[in-house]
Amino acid sequence: MENSVIDRAWWKECAVYQIYPRSFFDSNGDGIGDLAGITQKLDYIASLGVGAVWLNPVYDSPNDDMGYDIRNYEAVMQEFGTMADFDALLAGLHARGIRLIMDLVVNHSSDEHAWFVESRKSRDNPYRDFYIWRDGKHGKEPNNWASFFTPSAWKYDEQTDQWYLHLFSEKQPDLNWQNPAVRAEVYAMMNRWFDRGVDGFRMDVINLIAKAKGLPDGTGTPSPEGYVFAPEHFADQPQAHEYLREMRRVCFDGRDCMCVGETPFSSSATGFSYVDPVHRELDMVFSFDLMDIDSGRSGKWEIVPWNLARMKAIIEDWQTALATGWNSLFWSNHDQPRPVSRFGSAESEVPRVRSAKMLGVAMHLLRGTPFVYQGEELGMTNVPFRNISDIRDLESLNFYRLAAARGEAEKAWQAILRKGRDNARVPMQWSAEQNAGFTTGTPWLMVNPNHDRINVDAAEQDPDSVLRFYRALLSLRAESRTLIYGEFALIEREHPQVFAYTRTLEDETMTVLCNMSGKEARLTKAVSGACVLRNMHGEMEERLLAPYEARVIRSHV
Ligand code: ISL
Ligand code: CA
């Protein structure tokens, strides 16, 4: 902190709880979580000690990509309730001192959005340039870009004999941010949400909004279908910064809000360029480096073992690069498998509980704002889906279909079990009752059979539950200026099992020691001081960590 005055902000001091509304709590028995359901659980949310909630999209949507395909930015999805339900939720959160962060999905809209319905009508429609239309090349796509969810990023439209760009599904056409009218509409919409009382946005793939001039072909390795994934031409383009600075002027300046951008492909240097306090285009970004740690060259479905040295390097890199900015801290979200299954151990109860707590310590005491995804606080695990008919996520379904066509269905299924997004999207586990207490109807996505032992009710009863520990962890952080603002330094750098670091502010140091392995670990150096948090009981040897043990030690110079 170089004796400078700490640049305080509410969003640096609180933790954020991420809610996937479809799977949180169903208030009316139709099998789909809803806004009134979240409102019923406000006391639970408040009990976690978080200062903000981020809601995945709740806008009107045909749900091709579960709300990430928005038909109307200013209406609530019918299954989730009404605008009155929304206002009630917002008021209930604010009454408890909890802020509300909305998802903002403006790289693309739904193809059912009124803008696109107009846009596709004719080449001279006033909304034509709201999207990215191009002529084909010799009867084929305008360029060779692959999409995230389908082989090609282009879809041919007969009516006007042109193709439109969709980096995600065909039902998610990319908006044309080059068009000032698009930007003006988006900013006006954001400002209306701010005026309604929301406290900020989580901005979906916001670093993809600008595409390289001329839309050049990608030069990487083609997919089996012959398309090239070309983030060099659609991620982190210079115009993305221009648009975000404009957005700050038009929407954020003068408001007490927080904006966090989801920025796939960004390096730490690029990440810093978004949060650099000089311009502060965004307050934070979500980095993908850790999330890609077990992905092979062809992407997330090619699963490779993760490695601790690489994990430390990624964390140190981001902590260092953003030392004058601010990091977001997360192990999971609605797109990622469950961290305890991925980085800890979900094989049996003792290691599950201990490793879930250890992971919480390892991540959420870094310098940055913790984002806790629903169910993480219970140590919820990946799901034993039986076969592809249990899956609802279009990314997994499309991947499976393409792999099956190549005769690789079984391999694809194994990858989906480990990495599929539905692992995080099954209903929240409230109780041991039928459907985990999530709904009295038929849940839209199966519940994890382990809800009989992993659930909120059971965790409330058990003084050693992951839930009780998460409360202690978040309250320790909330009450420690050192854990919030202190400087980060990696220690035990070469240790093959231990992830450890210090956080230092003025004369106080907090040392975080985490054994990331299922075997005992010997520290190279003893750490003296008072142990203020530990994820297990039993005798404590200064230099020995039990399997998945985590400790936080406070000391003063
Ligand atoms: O989900 C992913 C990996 O499994 C990512 O490739 C993901 O598509 C990417 O991170 C962008 O995610 C966001 O935008 C998507 C949406 O499907 C995701 O749910 C959202 O978080 C398109 O809007
Ligand atoms: Ca419902």
Side-chain angles (χ1 to χ4, degrees):
M1 275 292 110
E2 291 155 17
N3 5 292
S4 65
V5 182
I6 295 173
D7 188 11
R8 290 186 59 178
W10 62 263
W11 45 267
K12 295 179 178 173
E13 300 187 8
C14 75
V16 182
Y17 189 56
Q18 183 193 347
I19 293 180
Y20 196 70
R22 201 174 194 76
S23 300
F24 195 61
F25 187 64
D26 174 20
S27 71
N28 63 353
D30 66 354
I32 297 173
D34 44 53
L35 295 171
I38 302 173
T39 302
Q40 285 181 32
K41 297 294 186 184
L42 280 173
D43 288 336
Y44 173 76
I45 297 164
S47 80
L48 301 174
V50 297
V53 160
W54 151 30
L55 287 186
N56 283 105
V58 296
Y59 313 94
D60 173 45
S61 161
N63 284 311
D64 183 53
D65 185 18
M66 294 307 165
Y68 281 94
D69 48 321
I70 297 174
R71 184 163 46 201
N72 182 347
Y73 290 101
E74 301 187 49
V76 167
M77 194 188 302
Q78 245 179 34
E79 299 126 280
F80 288 179
T82 62
M83 199 54 97
D85 294 329
F86 176 83
D87 288 336
L89 171 57
L90 180 59
L93 285 165
H94 283 172
R96 289 165 178 80
I98 301 173
R99 290 176 162 92
L100 178 61
I101 307 301
M102 296 289 276
D103 220 304
L104 179 80
V105 189
V106 290
N107 172 69
H108 44 269
S109 73
S110 164
D111 65 339
E112 299 181 29
H113 192 289
W115 298 337
F116 191 77
V117 172
E118 284 302 311
S119 184
R120 77 186 330 170
K121 280 185 181 162
S122 67
R123 292 194 185 203
D124 56 10
N125 188 283
Y127 287 92
R128 186 65 171 181
D129 287 338
F130 267 50
Y131 296 86
I132 302 172
W133 292 97
R134 292 290 185 276
D135 288 326
K137 270 193 187 149
H138 319 293
K140 296 209 339 200
E141 292 86 356
N143 72 19
N144 69 358
W145 290 6
S147 131
F148 283 75
F149 294 156
T150 59
S152 164
W154 295 94
K155 170 86 172 164
Y156 179 67
D157 205 44
E158 240 165 32
Q159 194 153 333
T160 54
D161 185 32
Q162 279 195 317
W163 303 69
Y164 67 83
L165 179 72
H166 63 87
L167 289 181
F168 294 89
S169 92
E170 290 176 9
K171 288 183 66 60
Q172 294 169 298
D174 281 55
L175 282 159
N176 177 18
W177 275 74
Q178 250 184 355
N179 181 351
V182 167
R183 306 203 297 273
E185 287 279 4
V186 169
Y187 304 153
M189 174 270 287
M190 293 171 69
N191 276 329
R192 283 189 289 273
W193 280 105
F194 276 130
D195 293 342
R196 197 165 199 106
V198 311
D199 302 288
F201 291 101
R202 171 269 183 191
M203 302 180 178
D204 194 61
V205 291
I206 200 66
N207 64 328
L208 310 191
I209 55 179
K211 279 77 181 172
K213 210 168 159 237
L215 308 180
D217 277 338
T219 51
T221 319
S223 66
E225 295 80 18
Y227 299 95
V228 174
F229 201 63
E232 69 276 19
H233 297 317
F234 61 69
D236 302 317
Q237 303 297 306
Q239 286 76 18
H241 294 281
E242 270 174 40
Y243 302 151
L244 287 172
R245 284 178 201 181
E246 181 181 63
M247 186 189 283
R248 171 155 293 279
R249 278 199 309 278
V250 181
C251 301
F252 312 149
D253 279 349
R255 296 191 196 266
D256 182 23
C257 61
M258 180 273 267
C259 291
V260 49
E262 186 205 26
T263 54
F265 318 107
S266 293
S267 66
S268 61
T270 309
F272 180 68
S273 69
Y274 290 108
V275 303
D276 182 344
V278 172
H279 296 287
R280 202 155 65 82
E281 296 164 8
L282 298 168
D283 299 312
M284 289 179 262
V285 295
F286 289 128
S287 157
F288 277 66
D289 285 350
L290 259 191
M291 295 296 110
D292 293 338
I293 196 169
D294 51 4
S295 301
R297 289 179 50 164
S298 70
K300 72 178 269 187
W301 300 116
E302 183 189 338
I303 304 175
V304 301
W306 65 273
N307 136 333
L308 183 60
R310 171 100 188 101
M311 184 177 280
K312 292 184 196 184
I314 292 169
I315 291 175
E316 185 180 34
D317 176 35
W318 280 82
Q319 288 283 308
T320 311
L322 275 62
T324 61
W326 198 253
N327 268 284
S328 71
L329 309 173
F330 68 101
W331 277 126
S332 67
N333 56 45
H334 63 292
D335 291 335
Q336 299 294 333
R338 289 293 183 175
V340 69
S341 300
R342 189 181 191 182
F343 300 117
S345 170
E347 297 297 304
S348 62
E349 222 30 27
V350 171
R352 180 189 70 85
V353 170
R354 204 183 285 167
S355 66
K357 295 174 182 174
M358 178 278 292
L359 289 169
V361 172
M363 176 60 65
H364 298 308
L365 299 184
L366 289 165
R367 183 169 176 280
T369 297
F371 286 78
V372 177
Y373 179 64
Q374 69 183 44
E376 175 185 329
E377 77 278 21
L378 303 176
M380 274 176 63
T381 68
N382 280 354
V383 184
F385 295 110
R386 292 153 299 192
N387 57 55
I388 195 71
S389 68
D390 281 339
I391 301 296
R392 298 287 172 272
D393 167 32
L394 94 166
E395 183 193 38
S396 296
L397 292 173
N398 286 352
F399 163 65
Y400 187 82
R401 202 165 26 80
L402 291 170
R406 298 194 300 269
E408 294 179 357
E410 182 49 32
K411 200 172 135 204
W413 178 244
Q414 291 310 321
I416 289 170
L417 282 175
R418 288 182 56 191
K419 284 275 200 76
R421 305 196 294 185
D422 281 344
N423 278 304
R425 298 181 180 184
V426 299
M428 175 76 175
Q429 292 166 203
W430 295 103
S431 73
E433 285 160 41
Q434 199 182 12
N435 297 327
F438 160 73
T439 181
T440 54
T442 307
W444 72 278
L445 180 66
M446 72 179 261
V447 299
N448 193 325
N450 68 18
H451 74 266
D452 60 350
R453 59 196 159 84
I454 306 174
N455 62 66
V456 172
D457 274 1
E460 293 285 11
Q461 301 311 313
D462 174 4
D464 292 326
S465 65
V466 181
L467 175 61
R468 296 273 202 107
F469 185 83
Y470 255 68
R471 288 187 180 129
L473 171 66
L474 295 182
S475 107
L476 176 71
R477 178 188 180 276
E479 279 153 27
S480 163
R481 264 172 22 112
T482 303
L483 286 174
I484 297 171
Y485 292 109
E487 222 173 274
F488 163 92
L490 187 69
I491 58 171
E492 294 286 356
R493 183 178 293 275
E494 311 293 335
H495 203 295
Q497 295 158 279
V498 173
F499 173 55
Y501 55 90
T502 55
R503 302 290 312 283
T504 305
L505 188 69
E506 289 144 19
D507 62 348
E508 185 177 75
T509 293
M510 293 282 205
T511 304
V512 176
L513 302 169
C514 295
N515 182 355
M516 301 272 309
S517 81
K519 299 205 173 82
E520 251 183 23
R522 187 163 289 279
L523 297 171
T524 58
K525 249 172 122 180
V527 178
S528 50
C531 182
V532 292
L533 188 70
R534 187 176 181 222
N535 66 342
M536 57 181 292
H537 303 291
E539 222 163 285
M540 196 158 86
E541 241 191 82
E542 225 183 21
R543 286 188 53 183
L544 206 60
L545 295 178
Y548 297 119
E549 179 170 355
R551 283 179 207 164
V552 183
I553 314 279
R554 176 191 283 139
S555 57
H556 292 92
V557 287

